[in-house]
Amino acid sequence: MTFDIVTIFPAMIEHALAQGIIGRAIERGTLDVKVHDLRDFTTDRHRVVDDVPYGGGPGMVLKPDPIFRALDAIAAKRGAPLAVIMTSPQGTRFTQAKAGQLSGLEHVVLLCGRYEGFDERVRERVTEELSIGDYVLTGGELPALVVLDAVARFVPGVVGDEQSVVQDSFSRGLLDHPQYTRPPEIDALRVPDVLMSGNHAEIRRWRKREALSRTLDRRPDLLDAASLDDEEVQMLRQLKGARHERD
Ligand code: 9D3
């Protein structure tokens, strides 16, 4: 899968993408990521990418012409992209489902916003406008990295264990169960006996119950959409009952 990312801070993107699972996938050629400096698509001596808003008001707006030229250059080199994504606080919320959808495309462009955002006419060339959540960031670079990371995990060969991608908590709709590794005790904090018992049926049930219990406590909103098997439905009823007793 191919990504083109347009930004005024290319180093911020390049350093992040050189690490870990994504870095290895790029080395192997499973992912192809090109980072474009928006200033390379300016035509003035000072490489200016922003300007004051028509109508007045605070802040600066990203000029449309460098962005149009960047998109034309990408299309000339790679062919018309299947998606042009603008990161913006006005976007629809980026979700795991959206990540899965986008991973089916061969070629995606990500435009990173800065300042107060893009000139409205850029939206004519955009297929999706995405926000990563309700908090205010300084620009679209971290959101673009978030989108790329979540989409790339779905691309076959990027994550070693294909199973883990499919089984992911948010695809299943529950939070993960607790995890422990060695040592068995530290500062008098012990690993639950059941995990060291070797009883795999018991371990599986313990993990299910813990995942349900955490989800009920921390993210009850997820339970509405979760796909639970009969055993989980019964455990959930039990957990809700126990909380009712307690409160
Ligand atoms: C909504 C805030 N705007 C009102 C004056 C100003 C503004 C704040 C921050 C405009 C742009 C930005 C930069 N943020 C992004 O470009 C951004 C973002 C975010 O801030 N939060 C969550 N997702 C995203 S995607 C891009």
Side-chain angles (χ1 to χ4, degrees), residues 23-200:
R24 242 168 292 136
I26 292 170
E27 273 174 17
R28 282 199 307 269
T30 311
L31 294 178
D32 181 9
V33 185
K34 286 278 178 313
V35 183
H36 307 270
D37 187 341
L38 184 60
R39 292 190 197 281
D40 291 344
F41 300 95
T42 56
T43 53
D44 62 306
R45 219 160 57 80
H46 294 104
R47 294 164 48 96
V48 174
V49 294
D50 60 336
D51 204 342
V52 295
Y54 273 119
M60 299 294 273
V61 175
L62 279 169
K63 291 164 61 60
D65 27 325
I67 293 170
F68 279 38
R69 275 194 292 274
L71 289 173
D72 290 342
I74 290 165
K77 199 152 209 170
R78 309 236 206 209
L82 296 164
V84 179
I85 299 168
M86 168 194 273
T87 58
S88 127
Q90 281 73 54
T92 58
R93 176 73 63 84
F94 180 61
T95 61
Q96 182 71 356
K98 176 57 73 178
Q101 279 171 27
L102 292 171
S103 72
L105 304 180
E106 254 328 297
H107 182 197
V108 169
V109 175
L110 287 161
L111 302 176
C112 306
R114 276 279 150 179
Y115 314 113
E116 294 305 302
F118 297 90
D119 181 289
E120 186 65 21
R121 293 165 289 184
V122 172
R123 288 183 172 79
E124 294 296 319
R125 307 228 3 208
V126 158
T127 62
E128 317 242 4
E129 186 171 347
L130 299 177
S131 160
I132 62 163
D134 294 339
Y135 30 79
V136 182
L137 303 171
T138 57
E141 279 72 16
L142 291 172
L145 287 167
V146 165
V147 170
L148 186 149
D149 194 279
V151 172
R153 287 184 77 262
F154 280 102
V155 174
V158 170
V159 174
D161 183 1
E162 299 279 307
Q163 276 295 90
S164 75
V165 176
V166 182
Q167 282 198 357
D168 251 313
S169 76
F170 279 91
S171 331
R172 264 192 72 235
L174 294 179
L175 301 183
D176 285 348
H177 56 73
Q179 306 271 16
Y180 294 87
T181 186
R182 286 175 288 189
E185 183 171 339
I186 181 167
D187 289 353
L189 300 169
R190 289 173 42 79
V191 174
D193 286 330
V194 58
L195 295 180
M196 300 185 294
S197 70
N199 184 337
H200 293 288

